[in-house]
């Protein structure tokens, strides 16, 4: 008699919870300050989201984590876990490059130095990191289930 392992949680339910949590964290980060400056008001996440696509002009590519994050969420929602894993890891790597951002262009005159990072930045990056971590777990568990279904013992 063979005992079949059943996970303590249902993956579709957990997947919905994780997607809801990262989506809410991502959306809340829009309302929070992201960058602080001397002599200028802070920038909220929505302002950075709407104008950050121009980053390559200054060789800044962190904003491009946003489309990768969105692609990863959609891929995970429709059951394309490996695509979600790849997209979320690329989003995380691109997001981490934001730590190298040194300034923001408020006008054509000069680059205003960033004096600090706000809660919106941290929440945005945490949402991306949580999605990437969950994608790793889903792919690893999925691989182990495939191996078990074939009747092979997992050698790990």
């Amino acid at each position: 008699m063979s005992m079949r392992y059943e996970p303590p949680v249902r993956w579709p339910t957990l997947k919905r919870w994780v997607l809801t949590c990262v989506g809410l964290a991502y959306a809340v980060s829009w309302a929070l300050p992201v960058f602080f400056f001397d002599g200028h008001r802070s920038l909220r996440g929505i302002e950075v989201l709407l104008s950050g696509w121009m980053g390559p002009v200054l060789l800044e590519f962190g904003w491009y984590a946003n489309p990768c994050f969105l692609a990863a969420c959609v891929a995970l929602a429709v059951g394309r876990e490996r695509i979600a894993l790849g997209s979320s890891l690329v989003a995380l790597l691109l997001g981490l490059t934001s730590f190298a951002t040194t300034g923001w262009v408020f006008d054509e005159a000069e680059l205003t130095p960033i004096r600090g990072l706000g809660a919106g930045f941290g929440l945005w990056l945490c949402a991306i990191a949580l999605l990437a971590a969950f994608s790793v777990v889903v792919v690893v568990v999925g691989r182990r289930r495939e191996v078990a279904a074939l009747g092979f013992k997992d050698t790990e």
Side-chain angles (χ1 to χ4, degrees):
M1 185 161 141
S2 167
M3 296 292 290
R4 180 174 264 231
Y5 171 74
E6 289 296 323
V9 294
R10 296 236 182 256
W11 282 108
T13 303
L14 185 58
K15 193 186 303 185
R16 278 193 300 274
W17 273 101
V18 169
L19 285 171
T20 300
C21 288
V22 299
L24 284 172
Y26 186 76
V28 168
S29 75
W30 298 344
L32 298 173
V34 173
F35 297 130
F36 294 106
F37 308 92
D38 287 336
H40 284 280
R41 64 178 178 77
S42 63
L43 286 178
R44 292 178 299 131
I46 192 68
E47 295 169 302
V48 176
L49 180 66
L50 294 175
S51 59
W53 60 270
M54 296 184 293
V57 172
L58 300 171
L59 298 176
E60 302 287 347
F61 298 96
W63 180 90
Y64 289 94
N66 294 301
C68 293
F69 174 80
L70 179 60
C73 287
V74 170
L76 191 59
V78 299
R80 302 299 300 232
E81 288 86 5
R82 291 178 193 266
I83 293 173
L85 175 60
S87 297
S88 63
L89 290 176
V90 169
L92 184 58
L93 290 174
L94 286 170
L96 289 172
T97 68
S98 297
F99 283 109
T101 302
T102 58
W104 191 265
V105 179
F106 285 100
D107 54 35
E108 299 81 23
E110 63 185 335
L111 187 69
T112 304
I114 294 173
R115 295 292 179 220
L117 301 173
F121 179 84
L123 194 57
W124 170 76
L125 200 55
C126 283
I128 294 171
L130 176 60
L131 183 64
F134 184 70
S135 296
V136 168
V137 169
V138 168
V139 169
V140 168
V141 169
R143 180 190 168 279
R144 289 190 175 170
R145 292 170 115 189
E146 290 169 5
V147 168
L150 292 172
F152 296 107
K153 290 184 178 178
D154 196 357
T155 58
E156 296 177 22

